[in-house]
């Protein structure tokens, strides 16, 4: 039987009514359409939903009117599909027929899942919550995080850049077990990123640390994290907390492509977002529109742009092409030709978006003149076709000459030394990467330029321009193979950045292809400088330089002239490397059958220049890590320090002596040998985040082992699968003094305190001094404790001052200066004060004095007393109290009485002697006067007068009787040796001498 076809009345009416139709026919057509719509499309006035599943897993399909309160003419409820029913990917459940239907072109579905990949706004159902877990007593900080949130950026979602705790929350009900997966970028360990799940009672689901703490990613790389979900209500949390204790802006976390599996069904398909399309029905995803095309929302195909317009991949609309300018092209150096020549060429930046044939546009500059190619790099030789090849094993070359074998008694110095950049070395590669798109994936991130290599043009200003160097491993030279030092090799590079915006250069390393870690970074313009990083483990390493002109996504190119220039790169002790020179090695003795072969020296031995034999370093010296030739390789330890057995490190054995003012001070610091910890804080960031600084100190002892360890527990949780070797690069720091930044558990609501930013402050002991205050000086040269940081070009250093304080215990108290609460004022030099009783010098006999008691009963007691203030400890003890016999009268009193008696007798004797002498003189004088009077017979008064014209002849005239003092003076003036006395008298008539 032939089938009957039912034609719609709207198609039959023109034939019945004519064309154009009459008023009657038009009215009939309208009524027919209304009746048809009422009969066949009543579902436009209501929609279907399923009831909650009952205990046996069944449910009902019910019709719900669009206008509440209108319940007439609704279909009766019918039994629905099973609660576990779901459609395949690319299909949706059509509720009227309860059958899976393919999605139309321009839309997609995941079947039993849902995907969020469009982030122009935060999708419905998602909530961004900013919380401040530690508002402080005043409560003022409670408003500090109101403006912090996850920010939509079109193709991804960006976390907050501050220290606020910001959570992205989404609740979903799963009828069966499912999963959630998302793509993310997490390049900065200064921000904590965790993902966890709660049930409807807000109880956190059981998760392993690997599931909760997200692993770090390389700058520009996306990783995927997947967590299984249970049936029922699941509340998903993406939570970030930034740590800005160093004042440096953190790199945000980026999210995209959140996909949840396990929903029971999908009742509708999702339209493709603008700039994307799906050309076939039943699609499970949409594809971005190619370059120079665009599309609207829900498009099944992309529309090409006009010739005067352009678009990048995934754009929803085209833009006018601007005139070409100097920012639209870049220069390259061609490879050397057969004649050894190279030249500069210019190329347009691809994809080319500018218009060359318009007013104001610039043309591509002409090709430069041919120039001589640079020489080969050290360790390579030149062939006839100007191609450089590595020297064979056992030979060396400086790059300008042929390869030569190393002389006897020497070995090749293996490594990489790149200072000429005509072509990119075979073990290096370059790439370009953009977070939001793939428009620069096919571009070179770096370009060679003869004597340097520089960052390329890229596709946009926020591209990551990446240069990678792979090192298969490290191999110590034979002469160094026996050393126990921590240096296996080192990489040194010379660079310069020229920037007008917020450019940043990252230097990273990937150990054993596990996880990439940022070693150092530089922001803004930097003058030409050198940087060195030391490898302390023997492992396969990939070094990466990543340069970004700005982290702000912009359609217009503004900073094309911002570049980073890398002048040279050298890596030492590379396995399978090339040799640019030879170095002396240790030889066997001449009696050996293998005389002339290189052998490794034992730990702590150097190579003698004259004999090329191994000689042990002198006591208290240590070997530098990369030099063992000659006795000058043994560097002396600092004052007060000694070397360990391997001569690899200097340390303090907790005892030393110091001589001052003819007095020797001996110190015993064994009580301070165990590791001490100092917690400083709390401190607060600009938004009030509470954090602490924790210092671990290993002052002395331990045979030179650096016993102070600081660990990043968050990084450790995120990298448990990395293996023991690579974990050492990221998680912990061994040093004499190290520092960690601690976020208390109560300060951010975490289950445990979080430790990050662990750094070494001191891994080399320089020496010690003393002046009743003993000072230990440490210097740090790695991490940039052996490496400089961006702010500390000479590395970090620490000064530990040990102060004698007898009132303190032996362990004492460790503090920092009050003027620098964080222990440092410049971030490079750290100062500590350790007051301890054991820091005092050992007591000697110069530190006490004796006191003798009074003589009682013929016995005298002697006591010993410490000098005040007492500044010594341990050492000599005070002598015991002693007693000795004594007399009542003290010796000094006897001596004093005897001396006084002697002086009294002497005084009496002198007085009597002078009295007798005086009497004798008086007697002689009286005799003389009497003799004179007899001869003159008592002349009258005028006979004694002077006649006219007569001068007096007498020299001495006594007018009265001399006093006793005058007599004594006369006696004193008497000539020595005379046995007689004379008095000369002169008269007017004659001279007479009277002798007695």
């Amino acid at each position: 039987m032939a089938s009957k076809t039912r034609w719609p009345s709207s198609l039959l009416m023109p034939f019945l009514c004519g064309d154009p139709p009459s008023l009657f026919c038009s009215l009939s057509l309208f009524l027919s359409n209304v009746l048809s719509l009422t009969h066949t499309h009543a579902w436009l006035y209501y929609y279907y939903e399923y009831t909650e599943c009952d205990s046996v897993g069944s449910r009902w399909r019910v019709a719900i009117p669009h206008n509440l309160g209108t319940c007439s003419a609704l279909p009766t409820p019918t039994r629905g599909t099973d609660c576990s029913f779901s459609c395949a990917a690319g299909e949706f459940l059509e509720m009227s027929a309860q059958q899976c239907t393919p999605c139309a072109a321009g839309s997609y579905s995941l079947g039993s899942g849902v995907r969020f990949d469009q982030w122009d706004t935060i999708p419905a159902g998602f909530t961004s919550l900013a919380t401040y877990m530690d508002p402080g007593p005043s409560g003022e900080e409670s408003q500090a995080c109101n403006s912090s949130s996850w920010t939509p950026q079109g193709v991804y979602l960006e976390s907050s850049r501050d220290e606020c705790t910001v959570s992205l929350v989404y609740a979903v009900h799963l009828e069966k077990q499912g999963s959630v997966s998302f793509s993310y970028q997490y390049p900065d360990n200064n921000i904590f990123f965790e993902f966890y799940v709660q049930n409807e009672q807000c109880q956190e689901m059981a998760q392993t640390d690997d599931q909760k703490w997200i692993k770090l990613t390389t700058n520009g790389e996306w990783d995927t994290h997947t967590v299984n979900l249970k049936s029922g209500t699941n509340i998903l949390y993406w939570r970030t907390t930034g740590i800005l204790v160093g004042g440096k802006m953190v790199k945000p976390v980026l999210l995209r492509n959140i996909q949840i599996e396990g929903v029971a069904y999908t009742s509708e398909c999702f339209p493709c977002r603008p700039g994307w399309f799906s050309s076939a029905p039943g699609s499970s995803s949409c594809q971005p529109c190619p370059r120079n095309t665009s599309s609207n929302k829900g498009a099944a195909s992309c529309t090409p742009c006009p010739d005067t317009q352009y678009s990048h991949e995934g754009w929803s609309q085209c833009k006018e092409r601007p005139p070409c300018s100097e920012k639209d092209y870049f220069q390259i150096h061609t490879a050397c030709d057969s004649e050894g020549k190279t030249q500069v060429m210019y190329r347009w930046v691809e994809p080319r978006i500018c218009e060359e044939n318009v007013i104001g546009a610039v043309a591509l500059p002409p090709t430069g003149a041919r120039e001589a190619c640079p020489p080969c790099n050290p360790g390579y030789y030149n062939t006839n076709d100007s191609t450089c090849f590595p020297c064979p094993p056992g030979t060396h070359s400086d790059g300008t000459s042929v390869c030569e074998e190393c002389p006897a008694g020497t070995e090749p110095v293996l490594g990489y030394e790149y200072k000429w950049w005509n072509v990119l070395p075979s073990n290096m590669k370059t790439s370009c990467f953009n977070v939001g798109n793939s428009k620069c994936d096919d571009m070179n991130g770096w370009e060679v330029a003869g004597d340097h290599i520089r960052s390329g043009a890229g596709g946009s200003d926020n591209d990551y321009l990446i240069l990678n160097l792979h090192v298969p491993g490290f191999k110590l030279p034979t002469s160094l193979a026996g050393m126990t030092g921590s240096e296996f090799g080192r990489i040194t590079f010379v660079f310069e950045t020229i920037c007008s915006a917020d450019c940043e250069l990252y230097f990273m390393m990937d150990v054993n292809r596990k996880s990439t870690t940022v070693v150092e970074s530089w922001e803004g313009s930097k003058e030409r400088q050198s940087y060195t990083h030391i490898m302390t483990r023997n492992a396969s390493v990939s070094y990466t330089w990543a340069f970004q002109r700005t982290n702000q996504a912009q359609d217009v190119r503004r900073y094309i002239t911002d570049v980073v220039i890398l002048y040279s790169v050298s890596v030492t002790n590379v396995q399978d490397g090339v040799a640019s020179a030879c170095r002396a090695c240790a030889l066997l003795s001449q009696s050996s059958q293998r005389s002339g072969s290189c052998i490794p020296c034992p730990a702590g031995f150097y190579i003698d220049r004259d004999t090329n034999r191994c000689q042990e370093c002198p006591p208290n010296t240590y070997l530098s890590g990369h030099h063992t030739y000659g006795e000058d390789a043994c560097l002396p330890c600092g004052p007060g320090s000694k070397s360990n057995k391997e001569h690899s490190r200097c340390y303090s054995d907790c005892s030393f002596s110091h001589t001052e003012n003819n007095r020797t001070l001996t110190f015993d610091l064994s009580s301070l040998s165990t590791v001490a910890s100092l917690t400083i804080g709390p401190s607060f960031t600009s938004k009030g985040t509470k954090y602490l600084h924790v210092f671990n100190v290993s002052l002395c002892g331990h045979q030179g082992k650096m016993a102070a360890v600081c660990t990043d527990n968050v990084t450790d949780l995120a990298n448990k699968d990395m293996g023991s070797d690579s974990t050492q690069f990221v998680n912990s720091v061994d040093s004499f003094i190290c520092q960690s930044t601690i976020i208390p558990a109560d300060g951010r609501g975490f289950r445990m305190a979080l430790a990050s930013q662990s750094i070494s402050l001191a891994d080399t002991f320089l020496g010690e001094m003393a002046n009743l205050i003993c000072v230990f000086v440490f210097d740090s040269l790695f991490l940039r404790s052996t490496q400089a940081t961006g702010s500390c070009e000479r590395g970090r250093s620490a000064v530990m001052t040990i102060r004698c304080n007898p009132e303190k215990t032996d362990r004492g108290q460790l503090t920092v200066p009050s003027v620098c609460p964080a222990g440092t004022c410049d971030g490079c030099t750290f100062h500590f004060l350790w007051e301890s009783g054991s820091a005092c010098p050992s007591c000697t006999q110069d530190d006490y004095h004796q006191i003798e008691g009074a003589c009682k009963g013929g016995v005298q007691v002697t006591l010993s007393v410490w000098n005040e203030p007492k500044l010594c400890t341990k050492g000599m003890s005070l002598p015991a109290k002693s007693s000795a016999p004594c007399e009542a009268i003290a010796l000094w009193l006897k001596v004093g009485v005897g001396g006084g008696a002697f002086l009294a007798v002497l005084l009496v004797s002198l007085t009597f002697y002078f009295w007798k002498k005086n009497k004798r003189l008086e007697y002689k004088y009286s005799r003389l006067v009497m003799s004179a009077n007899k001869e003159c017979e008592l002349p009258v008064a005028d006979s004694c007068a002077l006649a006219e014209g007569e001068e007096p002849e007498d020299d001495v005239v006594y007018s009265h009787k001399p006093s006793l003092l005058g007599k004594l003076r006369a006696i004193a003036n008497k000539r020595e040796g005379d046995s007689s006395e004379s008095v000369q008298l002169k008269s007017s008539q004659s001279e007479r001498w009277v002798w007695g």
Side-chain angles (χ1 to χ4, degrees), residues 165-184:
T165 299
V166 183
S167 300
L168 181 68
V169 186
Y170 182 75
V172 62
H173 185 82
L174 302 183
E175 297 296 343
K176 59 181 180 179
Q177 291 184 350
S179 63
V180 55
S181 63
F182 54 89
S183 300
Y184 71 93

Side-chain angles (χ1 to χ4, degrees), residues 960-979:
H960 56 81
K961 184 179 181 180
S963 63
L964 178 62
L965 181 59
K967 295 177 181 180
L968 292 177
R969 290 177 178 174
I971 294 173
N973 292 331
K974 184 181 64 172
R975 288 194 305 268
E976 186 177 354
D978 293 343
S979 60

Side-chain angles (χ1 to χ4, degrees), residues 368-617:
R370 298 178 67 202
E371 300 175 352
C373 290
C376 295
N377 281 309
Y380 290 79
Y381 68 96
N382 198 349
T383 60
N384 295 330
D385 59 353
S386 301
T387 303
C388 296
F389 291 96
C391 288
T395 63
H396 71 283
S397 171
D398 60 359
T400 60
S401 59
V402 298
C403 299
E404 299 177 353
E405 292 188 0
C406 289
T410 63
E411 59 180 338
V413 181
L414 300 180
Y416 299 144
E417 186 177 358
Y418 302 128
K419 59 182 181 180
W420 300 111
W421 305 92
N422 184 59
V423 294
L424 196 66
S426 59
N427 59 344
M428 299 183 75
K429 63 180 181 179
T430 177
S431 60
C432 178
F433 185 84
N434 190 282
V435 174
N437 53 64
S438 58
K439 60 187 178 183
C440 80
D441 289 355
D442 299 330
M443 300 180 181
N444 287 333
W446 294 63
E447 298 289 346
V448 295
D451 61 348
H452 67 271
I453 182 172
R454 61 168 56 201
S455 55
S460 59
D461 286 342
N462 66 330
D463 291 341
Y464 284 100
L465 307 176
I466 298 172
L467 178 66
N468 180 269
L469 169 64
H470 178 66
V471 177
F474 296 89
K475 180 183 179 180
L476 291 175
T478 304
S479 56
L480 299 178
M483 295 184 60
T484 59
S486 59
E487 180 179 339
F488 280 82
R490 58 176 57 194
I491 179 172
T492 302
F493 58 91
V494 180
F495 72 98
E496 178 185 12
T497 57
I498 304 173
C499 300
S500 59
D502 57 335
C503 72
E504 189 161 8
L505 173 65
Y506 301 90
F507 175 61
M508 303 171 287
M509 68 177 182
D510 182 359
V511 181
N512 292 332
R513 301 184 183 275
K514 291 294 184 179
S515 178
T516 301
T517 304
V518 176
V519 179
E520 188 57 85
S521 63
W522 298 267
E523 294 181 355
S525 296
K526 297 295 181 182
E527 296 181 352
R528 182 168 177 169
Q529 58 186 277
S530 175
Y531 179 81
T532 300
H533 177 75
I534 296 178
M535 288 297 300
T536 58
R537 298 291 187 276
N538 188 4
S540 174
V541 182
S542 289
Y543 296 108
T544 301
W545 293 265
F547 180 69
Q548 189 182 37
R549 293 185 173 92
T550 178
N551 57 18
Q552 303 298 325
Q554 297 175 347
D555 296 336
V556 181
R557 307 202 58 179
R558 298 180 179 178
Y559 311 115
I560 186 66
T561 57
D562 292 3
V563 296
V564 55
I565 300 175
L566 202 59
Y567 294 99
S568 64
V569 178
S570 64
V571 188
T572 63
N573 303 336
V574 177
Q575 181 179 339
D576 299 332
V578 295
S580 60
C582 300
R583 64 181 295 168
C585 63
L587 302 177
L588 289 172
S589 61
Q590 296 181 356
S591 61
S592 175
Q593 295 181 355
R594 296 175 54 205
S595 177
S597 301
C598 292
I599 61 169
C601 286
F605 283 66
Y606 68 94
I607 303 174
D608 186 81
R609 295 181 185 273
D610 299 328
T611 63
N612 274 27
R613 301 292 187 266
C614 297
Q615 299 290 337
E616 185 176 5
C617 282

Side-chain angles (χ1 to χ4, degrees), residues 107 206 217 313 315 467 691 785 789 943 950:
S107 62
T217 63
E313 183 184 71
W315 276 22
L467 178 66
Y691 65 92
S785 297
T789 63
S943 65
E950 184 180 4

